[in-house]
Amino acid sequence: VQLVESGGGLVEAGGSLNLSCVGSRIIFGRNVMAWFRRAPGKQRELVARISSSGITNYVDSVKGRFTISRDNPKNTLYLQMNSLEPEDTGVYYCNAADRLERSGADYPYSYWGQGTQVTVSS
């Protein structure tokens, strides 16, 4: 299984970015997909998750600003990020798990991409 993120970059506060995660050798539709991030000096945290049936949940700090979505035939996960804040800065990781209980678990219980850097300047 391979997950490859893209779409990160440097943006001013208030700006937008759209992250993508393309998977190979994995059936997206059967997996719980999620975005995690690791901010400088902090532990990795869940940003948003989408179940195989399309149910979504978000960390409180991004509700109303971020939208997670998936395109199963294209094996692609997205994270639309609007109204970005400096506190959103970090490395964003795509994660895939075959069941909710394994979402965010270390490999081999779930799969991780290599991450994409998001930097929001004030």
Side-chain angles (χ1 to χ4, degrees), residues 37-96:
R37 69 185 175 193
R38 187 188 301 276
K42 296 185 178 180
Q43 291 187 332
R44 187 176 61 200
E45 67 169 347
L46 172 68
V47 176
R49 180 186 287 132
I50 183 167
S51 71
S52 57
S53 61
I55 297 172
T56 60
N57 63 282
Y58 300 88
V59 67
D60 286 346
S61 61
V62 308
K63 286 180 179 178
R65 300 189 298 121
F66 290 11
T67 302
I68 188 172
S69 61
R70 62 198 298 166
D71 186 334
N72 291 335
K74 293 184 178 180
N75 261 14
T76 303
L77 178 72
Y78 303 99
L79 184 68
Q80 177 65 45
M81 306 187 294
N82 299 326
S83 302
L84 282 161
E85 303 169 353
E87 293 72 24
D88 297 316
T89 294
V91 180
Y92 283 68
Y93 299 91
C94 175
N95 177 262

Side-chain angles (χ1 to χ4, degrees), residues 32 49 51 57 97-104:
V32 177
R49 180 186 287 132
S51 71
N57 63 282
D98 62 357
R99 64 196 70 177
L100 180 61
E101 307 88 81
R102 293 181 176 176
S103 180

Side-chain angles (χ1 to χ4, degrees), residues 98-119:
D98 62 357
R99 64 196 70 177
L100 180 61
E101 307 88 81
R102 293 181 176 176
S103 180
D106 291 338
Y107 176 84
Y109 300 102
S110 74
Y111 298 99
W112 294 91
Q114 82 291 347
T116 186
Q117 176 70 46
V118 171
T119 303

